[in-house]
Amino acid sequence: MAGGTHAPVVAAVNGSPASERAVDWAADDAHRRGLGLRVVYAFDWPLYHSTPRDLPGGFDAEEYARRIVDDARRRALERAPALAVEAAHVTGDPEPVLLAESQRAHSLVVGTHHFSTVDLVIPGSLTMALLLSSSCPVVAVPDVETLPLRNRVTVGVDGSENARTASEWAFEAADARGAELCA
């Protein structure tokens, strides 16, 4: 794993229902594994650096970003009150910011909108970019009501070094949950 065994679980947030589900999953997983949680909001709005701040009735990008990570941090602590939670907002394109975060993370958790195979392969899909290039395991949490959990962890294997690493992570995840492992 890129960040090592004591690296935090990183949850990408943006204030959407999908990212709220990602925070829930990440908080539960970090708590179960005895790790910290880092919530990160990466944003890159056009003309961000030239937008006047503190306009009467105007939009303050810094305040908005701070609110996103503060809400996510609060949500995580409601799920796991003893969890060590760090929150950060970073000005920058989400893909490179989150790929950099993955270098120091146990795992990277992202919420997905309309999670389907077609959505994943559409050019510009952040989830697909992270799945392909992340330095740590990526968990894509769908923005849908889930069926009752089946207490199973599933991992795809093909004999490659990446599959071996994924299998190690899946064994740890299944063990932490007392779940069945399906390869």
Side-chain angles (χ1 to χ4, degrees):
M1 256 156 264
T5 57
H6 297 294
V9 172
V10 174
V13 299
N14 63 9
S16 70
S19 79
E20 289 175 350
R21 288 185 190 273
V23 167
D24 293 348
W25 195 98
D28 291 347
D29 193 55
H31 177 71
R32 186 180 298 113
R33 293 174 183 271
L35 299 173
L37 175 64
R38 178 173 164 83
V39 294
V40 177
Y41 175 46
F43 58 96
D44 190 19
W45 291 305
L47 304 175
Y48 169 76
H49 295 289
S50 64
T51 303
R53 296 181 189 219
D54 300 325
L55 294 174
F59 178 74
D60 185 333
E62 285 294 321
E63 177 57 34
Y64 179 78
R66 199 171 14 262
R67 189 171 57 245
I68 295 287
V69 295
D70 287 348
D71 288 349
R73 182 177 188 282
R74 228 179 340 271
R75 184 178 184 98
L77 288 171
E78 287 172 4
R79 281 189 86 86
L83 186 63
V85 182
E86 178 184 355
H89 56 90
V90 181
T91 303
D93 183 75
E95 183 179 332
V97 167
L98 294 173
L99 288 174
E101 289 286 335
S102 79
Q103 294 174 359
R104 300 175 302 279
H106 173 272
S107 53
L108 176 62
V109 182
V110 297
T112 61
H113 305 279
H114 312 294
F115 191 69
S116 73
T117 304
V118 173
D119 292 327
L120 280 177
V121 297
I122 293 174
S125 166
L126 176 60
T127 302
M128 180 56 97
L130 296 174
L131 287 168
L132 292 173
S133 302
S134 178
S135 297
C136 69
V138 175
V139 176
V141 179
D143 182 23
V144 295
E145 284 296 326
T146 56
L147 298 173
L149 295 178
R150 297 176 74 182
N151 206 27
R152 178 176 20 184
V153 173
T154 303
V155 62
V157 295
D158 64 6
S160 68
E161 184 61 33
N162 286 341
R164 200 170 0 272
T165 301
S167 295
E168 290 171 11
W169 190 88
F171 272 106
E172 288 177 20
D175 185 50
R177 292 166 175 74
E180 170 188 349
L181 177 65
C182 180

